[in-house]
């Protein structure tokens, strides 16, 4: 759905009560149904990643591309949504959050040991959990960063940390992620 010229309330409804939610299996098809365009995407969960969160509703929004004053981003909805479903926690804050909530062990990886992921096995477990539980919808928007701030301000999005300190789940999620990073720093670098 393209909402570039429509108001925020239309975007809210398109993300909170979408006509359709897409599974990993559908999104990862070739050709993918996700447009290679700028926009906002929203994540709903069949089973919530925490007992403190409600299942079956919008819990997180993201954008593609993000605003970049110095250069043009190559990201788009298709790349970001597909990456969230099959990538790793080092480049997906959604995957990092979900893995931490699900209790998957975060590890330092790579030669430098500065990147943090759930390792090959942990990322596979997370990808499987997302395939079973995560559903996504999206809307096209030429400047998604303008819409993202509005959505985070006006909606209850407990899995968003950036711009979302007012959310009741923010402190707990931030602390959980910090603890996971600290534990990872105490462990040997994983292969």
């Amino acid at each position: 759905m393209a909402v570039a010229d429509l108001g925020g309330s239309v975007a809210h409804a398109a993300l909170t009560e979408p006509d359709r939610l897409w599974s990993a299996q559908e999104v990862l098809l070739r050709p993918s149904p996700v447009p290679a365009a700028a926009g906002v995407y929203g994540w709903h969960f069949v089973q919530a990643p925490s007992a403190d969160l409600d299942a079956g509703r919008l819990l997180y929004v993201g954008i593609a591309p993000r605003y970049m004053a110095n250069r043009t981003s190559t990201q788009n909805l298709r790349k970001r949504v597909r990456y969230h479903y099959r990538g790793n926690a080092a480049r997906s804050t959604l995957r990092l959050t979900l893995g931490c909530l699900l209790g998957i062990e975060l590890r330092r990886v790579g030669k430098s040991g500065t990147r943090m992921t759930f390792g090959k096995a942990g990322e596979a477990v997370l990808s499987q959990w997302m395939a079973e539980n995560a559903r996504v919808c999206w809307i096209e928007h030429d400047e998604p960063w303008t819409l993202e701030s509005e959505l985070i301000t006006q909606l209850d999005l407990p899995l968003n940390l950036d711009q979302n300190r007012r959310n009741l789940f923010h402190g707990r999620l931030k602390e959980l992620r910090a603890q996971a990073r600290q534990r990872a720093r105490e462990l040997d670098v994983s292969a």
Side-chain angles (χ1 to χ4, degrees), residues 72-172:
T72 303
S73 174
T74 62
Q75 291 297 308
N76 60 49
L77 286 168
R78 182 180 302 149
K79 288 178 182 178
R80 285 309 294 161
V81 169
R82 288 172 63 96
Y83 194 85
H84 285 310
Y85 267 130
R86 65 173 184 192
N88 66 56
R91 294 191 52 215
S92 167
T93 191
L94 175 62
R95 287 183 70 88
L96 176 62
T97 289
L98 292 173
C100 289
L101 287 169
L102 296 169
I104 303 172
E105 184 178 69
L106 191 65
R107 298 296 302 259
R108 293 181 301 134
V109 298
K111 291 182 181 182
S112 69
T114 57
R115 286 187 331 117
M116 292 188 188
T117 74
F118 297 111
K120 196 172 195 172
E123 294 289 353
V125 167
L126 179 55
S127 291
Q128 182 61 40
W129 186 90
M130 289 184 72
E132 294 169 6
N133 295 290
R135 302 295 181 265
V136 67
C137 59
W138 56 85
I139 53 175
E140 293 180 40
H141 193 281
D142 293 337
E143 295 180 346
W145 51 90
T146 61
L147 194 52
E148 180 187 36
S149 297
E150 181 180 332
L151 292 167
I152 291 172
T153 300
Q154 296 179 6
L155 299 175
D156 177 24
L157 299 167
L159 301 187
N160 281 84
L161 285 177
D162 190 36
Q163 306 177 59
N164 203 20
R165 284 192 176 95
R166 67 165 179 77
N167 192 283
L168 297 176
F169 200 66
H170 184 274
R172 177 162 176 239

Side-chain angles (χ1 to χ4, degrees), residues 9-21:
S9 62
V10 173
H12 293 190
L15 293 170
T16 59
E17 300 172 24
D19 293 335
R20 168 118 192 242
L21 290 171

Side-chain angles (χ1 to χ4, degrees), residues 100 106 116 175-185:
C100 289
L106 191 65
M116 292 188 188
E175 180 62 26
L176 185 65
R177 287 175 37 146
Q179 289 171 356
R181 284 188 178 107
Q182 183 56 43
R183 280 192 304 274
R185 287 184 197 99

Side-chain angles (χ1 to χ4, degrees), residues 20 22-34 78 82 86:
R20 168 118 192 242
W22 299 81
S23 69
Q25 182 179 7
E26 294 168 314
V27 164
L28 297 174
L29 285 173
R30 293 201 185 267
S32 177
V34 186
R78 182 180 302 149
R82 288 172 63 96
R86 65 173 184 192

